[in-house]
Amino acid sequence: MPRNAKRDQMVKEERRRQILQAATSVFYHKGLAAVKMSDVATEAGLSYGHVYNHFSSKQELLASIVLEGQEAYRRFLLQAIESPGDAVSKLQRIIDQLFIHSNTAKTYWIVLQAQASDILPEDVKGEIKARMLHNLDLFSRIIIQGQEEGRFAAGDAKEITTIVITLLHNSGLWEIRGLESPKQPILTYILKLVSL
């Protein structure tokens, strides 16, 4: 009986996602240097060899998590920019997505570690930085829209965006620091910082 190529590809993609999800959890909780491929295999419920069928090294696995996370973030920002509504509603949409419906904080923590470590080669770190700057430009469009609407303070949109992103992403790391969730919605604090 011939194998079903489409089904095999779907299973392969599902296993890859399973490994990436497990690796994200393990890197998040143990830190980049401490993680072994066997840790990822255990978390994923797969054999050690199965993980190596999809990723040849810890570096490749880490780079995949970071770069695919940045790509997902780019697509999400584009959707937010192109969606109807004012800048405040777009910012709220981003906040809701980042904190309620995704693993963004975990991926962000892994990106920070990857940029600061020697685990990834310089060319991959350069690609991570280039994607980060591109995503910063995308997010800046929402700040510029808010400035044009008279809702956000004047100033360098990239600098304001950097402050907003830093606040957003680092608020997502409260769990790592053992802090409780913020008592007010994050948007309340951000609007106080960027509004006229």
Side-chain angles (χ1 to χ4, degrees), residues 134-149:
H134 178 72
N135 287 340
L136 179 69
D137 286 341
L138 290 176
F139 204 127
S140 294
R141 292 184 196 174
I142 295 172
I143 299 302
I144 292 167
Q145 179 184 346
Q147 290 171 327
E148 290 170 353
E149 293 168 350

Side-chain angles (χ1 to χ4, degrees), residues 86-88 139-161 164 193-196:
D86 63 8
V88 173
F139 204 127
S140 294
R141 292 184 196 174
I142 295 172
I143 299 302
I144 292 167
Q145 179 184 346
Q147 290 171 327
E148 290 170 353
E149 293 168 350
R151 299 289 305 270
F152 296 165
D156 186 293
K158 281 191 183 177
E159 286 184 7
I160 294 169
T161 302
V164 169
L193 291 172
V194 300
S195 294
L196 291 172

Side-chain angles (χ1 to χ4, degrees), residues 85-99:
D86 63 8
V88 173
S89 65
K90 291 177 182 186
L91 197 52
Q92 181 64 58
R93 216 170 284 127
I94 289 171
I95 292 166
D96 290 346
Q97 181 68 25
L98 291 178
F99 290 100

Side-chain angles (χ1 to χ4, degrees), residues 84-189:
D86 63 8
V88 173
S89 65
K90 291 177 182 186
L91 197 52
Q92 181 64 58
R93 216 170 284 127
I94 289 171
I95 292 166
D96 290 346
Q97 181 68 25
L98 291 178
F99 290 100
I100 298 171
H101 305 294
S102 75
N103 277 336
T104 303
K106 288 181 180 180
T107 303
Y108 176 67
W109 179 239
I110 293 167
V111 170
L112 289 178
Q113 292 179 71
Q115 287 179 306
S117 78
D118 293 332
I119 293 175
L120 294 176
E122 289 303 315
D123 62 323
V124 174
K125 288 169 89 170
E127 186 174 352
I128 291 167
K129 182 178 180 182
R131 287 178 181 217
M132 181 270 303
L133 292 173
H134 178 72
N135 287 340
L136 179 69
D137 286 341
L138 290 176
F139 204 127
S140 294
R141 292 184 196 174
I142 295 172
I143 299 302
I144 292 167
Q145 179 184 346
Q147 290 171 327
E148 290 170 353
E149 293 168 350
R151 299 289 305 270
F152 296 165
D156 186 293
K158 281 191 183 177
E159 286 184 7
I160 294 169
T161 302
T162 302
I163 292 166
V164 169
I165 289 173
T166 301
L167 177 62
L168 278 177
H169 288 301
N170 283 294
S171 297
L173 300 178
W174 285 21
E175 177 187 336
I176 291 174
R177 296 180 178 132
L179 300 172
E180 295 179 22
S181 296
K183 294 186 178 20
Q184 290 188 47
I186 295 291
L187 182 62
T188 303
Y189 295 114

